[in-house]
Amino acid sequence: MRDEIIAWRHVFKLDPDRFISDEDLDQICMSGTDAIMIGGSSGVTYDNTVDLMSRVRRYELPCVLEVSDLEAVVPGFDLYMIPLVLNTEDSRWMIGQHVQAIEQYSHLIPWELIVPEGYIVLHADSTVARLTGALTELEADRAAAYAQAAEHLLRLPIVYIEYSGRFGDMELVADIRRVTREARVFYGGGITDAETARLAASHCDTIIVGNSLYSDLKQALTTVAAVKG
Ligand SMILES: CC(C)=CCC/C(C)=C/CC/C(C)=C/CC/C(C)=C/CC/C(C)=C/CC/C(C)=C/CC/C(C)=C/COP(=O)(O)OP(=O)(O)O
Ligand SMILES: O=P(O)(O)OC[C@@H](O)CO
Ligand SMILES: [Mg+2]
C-alpha cells in the first residue's frame, strides 16, 4: 500500500471534527478520488475518528489516517501518515511529539504502515500554522531548501506544501517541485474547483482537497475529473 501513494493524483481530506452527511460522504467516496485521508489540526478525538473511519470503510478506496493527536490513533487504517513540521523552531512538531508517541506505543507500532510527511506550513492565518508556530513568511528559495532538506537529509518520502484555507503561491510550489527528485510533492490549500485543481496539479504530484468539501461539495467534486481526466 505504501508504494501506491506514488500513483495518487488526488486525495480528499475529511476532518473528523466536522459533520458530513451519509449522502455527501457517498458522493465523496464514489467520486473517483485516489484516497481518503482523515485528519485535522484540532478537535480530533478517538470517537470522532472511529466514527468517520467506519463510515468510509464501507467503500473500497484506501483510507489513511493523518496522525495529529495521540489520543486519536485508531487501528484499522490502511496507512498512518505522520506529519513532521519542518519550518518551525518549536521542535515538538518536528520530532518531540513523535518520540513521545514511539515511547508510548513502542512495539505496537505497525512500522510498515507508517509514512512520514515533511510539512512546509505557509498560511499564517491557519490553525496548523498557529498551533505549530510555523515560520510562514518564506521566500521561494528558502522553501525549496526545506524541501531539499526533507528529501536529502531526512529522506522523507513526501514533501507536503500546506496552505490550508487559502490558495497558495504556485511559483513557490513549482520551485519546490523543480528541486525535488524522489520525494512526492503533495499540495493542499484553497482548492475549490476544477480550475484551481488543474493549476495546482500542474505543479505537484498530488493535490489534497479539504475545506471545500464542507463549503461547496458540488464544486469540490469537480476537482477529481480535473486532475484524473
Ligand atoms: C494502530 C497504531 C498503533 C498506529 C500507530 C500510529 C502511531 C502511534 C505511530 C507512532 C509514530 C509517530 C511518530 C506518531 C506521531 C504522533 C504525533 C501526534 C505527531 C505530531 C504531528 C503534528 C506535527 C501535528 C501538528 C498538526 C498537523 C501538521 C496536522 C496535520 C493535518 C492538518 C494540517 C490538517 C489541516 O487542519 P484543519 O483543521 O483542516 O485546518 P483548517 O482550520 O485550516 O481547515
Ligand atoms: O482544506 P484545504 O484548504 O482544502 O487544504 C487541504 C489540506 O492541505 C489541509 O490539510
Ligand atoms: Mg480543514
Side-chain angles (χ1 to χ4, degrees), residues 13 15 18 39-42 66-70 73-76 80 82-85 92-94 97-99 101-102 105 108-111 114 117 119 121 123 125-128 131-132 162 164-165 211:
K13 188 184 280 193
D15 188 338
R18 299 176 80 167
S41 51
S42 60
E66 189 169 56
V67 179
S68 60
D69 190 327
L70 267 194
V73 171
V74 172
Y80 295 85
I82 310 292
L84 283 75
V85 178
R92 282 177 302 166
W93 306 106
M94 168 69 195
Q97 297 247 4
H98 311 72
V99 170
I102 293 166
Y105 281 85
L108 296 176
I109 299 173
W111 286 110
I114 302 285
E117 310 169 295
Y119 256 73
V121 176
H123 182 199
D125 192 18
S126 67
T127 314
V128 62
L131 176 73
T132 62
E162 173 64 294
S164 180
N211 288 336

Side-chain angles (χ1 to χ4, degrees), residues 53-103:
M53 179 188 79
S54 55
R55 292 170 68 206
V56 173
R57 276 293 188 218
R58 296 177 197 144
Y59 301 86
E60 275 187 18
L61 75 179
C63 180
V64 305
L65 178 66
E66 189 169 56
V67 179
S68 60
D69 190 327
L70 267 194
E71 300 302 313
V73 171
V74 172
F77 281 90
D78 292 314
L79 293 174
Y80 295 85
M81 317 293 284
I82 310 292
L84 283 75
V85 178
L86 305 175
N87 58 325
T88 176
E89 288 172 348
D90 184 342
S91 65
R92 282 177 302 166
W93 306 106
M94 168 69 195
I95 196 67
Q97 297 247 4
H98 311 72
V99 170
Q100 275 181 30
I102 293 166
E103 224 177 337

Side-chain angles (χ1 to χ4, degrees), residues 11-13 18 37 39-41 66 119 123 128 160-167 186-192 207-214:
V11 172
F12 277 133
K13 188 184 280 193
R18 299 176 80 167
M37 188 182 285
S41 51
E66 189 169 56
Y119 256 73
H123 182 199
V128 62
Y160 192 131
I161 307 170
E162 173 64 294
Y163 274 98
S164 180
R166 89 161 169 91
F167 196 66
F186 281 24
Y187 170 83
I191 297 174
T192 52
I207 62 164
I208 320 290
V209 180
N211 288 336
S212 67
L213 291 169
Y214 300 91

Side-chain angles (χ1 to χ4, degrees), residues 5-47:
I5 290 176
I6 291 172
W8 290 356
R9 284 292 281 154
H10 184 285
V11 172
F12 277 133
K13 188 184 280 193
L14 288 170
D15 188 338
D17 194 31
R18 299 176 80 167
F19 173 77
I20 193 93
S21 69
D22 283 342
E23 294 72 27
D24 288 358
L25 190 63
D26 187 66
Q27 292 189 64
I28 292 165
C29 293
M30 299 301 285
S31 64
T33 187
D34 292 309
I36 300 293
M37 188 182 285
I38 292 184
S41 51
S42 60
V44 180
T45 66
Y46 189 88
D47 288 348

